[in-house]
Amino acid sequence: MGIRTAVVVGVGAERGLGAALCRRFAAGGHHVLACGRTAQKLAPLVDAIRAAGGSAEAVVADATSESDVARLFDRAMAPGEGREPADLVVYNAGVNQRVDFRELSAEAFESSWRIGCFGGFLVGREAARRLVPLARGTVIFTGASASLRGRPGFAQFAAAKAGLRMVAQSMAREYGPLGLHVAHVVIDGGIDGERLRARFPKVAEERGAGGLLEIEAIAEAYWQLHVQPRSAWSHEIDLRPFKEPF
């Protein structure tokens, strides 16, 4: 019997959450399909996982393309080369940018929704189609504080994340009783990764020690969701630094 496969959609910077999830799942014994839009960003991650003794491959795809998502799952569910079909899927794609509501274009709003919500629908639907007949598996969606409340300048992001949360809830209620564990993770705070440090270099200094979420700690929480016993499944958890008000 080979190792099972994990799919992570929304892998970008090597020091980002998507990459950290790939590393953690590989460490847990999975063959990882690291899915992102840029081959150049995926290659170093896959090389690093393999160098550490793990198993991974890059899949370049657009999460908002129905055909790309179907092709991704065709690969994820095909046994061979010591692999078993996927039993773990994470949707981690999203675009978070502050824009004055009066300046928010229709194109930017729709793009945010397509990446943050529509892509999650496509991945979730394809996962359900493939995993429900097997009566097993885990599907996890990455949320944010915007999943629960809107803030000035983030209407497009909040609309996408709130919609994604409802997709996750609907899936969980429909397919949980059939053996598919669907979970939603609210990331409530800044993530100490490449994106935040590049765009907002002063934030880490302002937050101080322990003021940002450590990427590896988030990835561990996702893994623990996957290995939860069926008698005590969580649908939604929230993660934040101990300093973060809520």
Side-chain angles (χ1 to χ4, degrees), residues 161-201:
K161 284 299 185 182
L164 184 68
R165 185 178 184 230
M166 293 300 100
V167 169
Q169 281 190 18
S170 297
M171 283 185 63
R173 289 176 168 135
E174 187 167 0
Y175 299 119
L178 300 180
L180 181 62
H181 185 189
V182 181
H184 179 256
V185 181
V186 177
I187 307 296
D188 188 16
I191 297 177
D192 189 7
E194 184 177 319
R195 180 183 297 179
L196 184 146
R197 288 187 174 272
R199 295 182 179 180
F200 310 103

Side-chain angles (χ1 to χ4, degrees), residues 3 70 128 137 140 147 180 192 206:
I3 62 174
I140 304 175
S147 304
L180 181 62
D192 189 7
E206 293 170 352

Side-chain angles (χ1 to χ4, degrees), residues 44-151:
L45 169 66
V46 169
D47 290 344
I49 289 174
R50 291 174 177 172
S55 179
E57 65 182 283
V59 178
V60 177
D62 179 354
T64 67
S65 165
E66 192 170 13
S67 60
D68 277 12
V69 172
R71 176 173 54 84
L72 169 65
F73 276 87
D74 285 343
R75 176 60 180 159
M77 302 308 294
E81 302 175 3
R83 294 189 299 107
E84 295 293 325
D87 72 336
L88 174 55
V89 177
V90 174
Y91 189 75
N92 183 61
V95 178
N96 185 4
Q97 184 177 8
R98 187 185 185 101
V99 182
D100 186 305
F101 189 76
R102 296 166 295 182
E103 304 301 322
L104 181 60
S105 68
E107 292 79 10
F109 184 93
E110 183 176 5
S111 176
S112 180
W113 170 80
R114 289 185 64 83
I115 296 170
C117 183
F118 180 66
F121 152 70
L122 291 177
V123 170
R125 186 187 65 178
E126 204 62 37
R129 286 174 170 174
R130 310 299 182 106
L131 297 179
V132 169
L134 303 178
R136 60 141 177 89
T138 306
V139 180
I140 304 175
F141 296 94
T142 297
S145 51
S147 304
L148 310 177
R149 59 187 179 273
R151 294 182 57 194

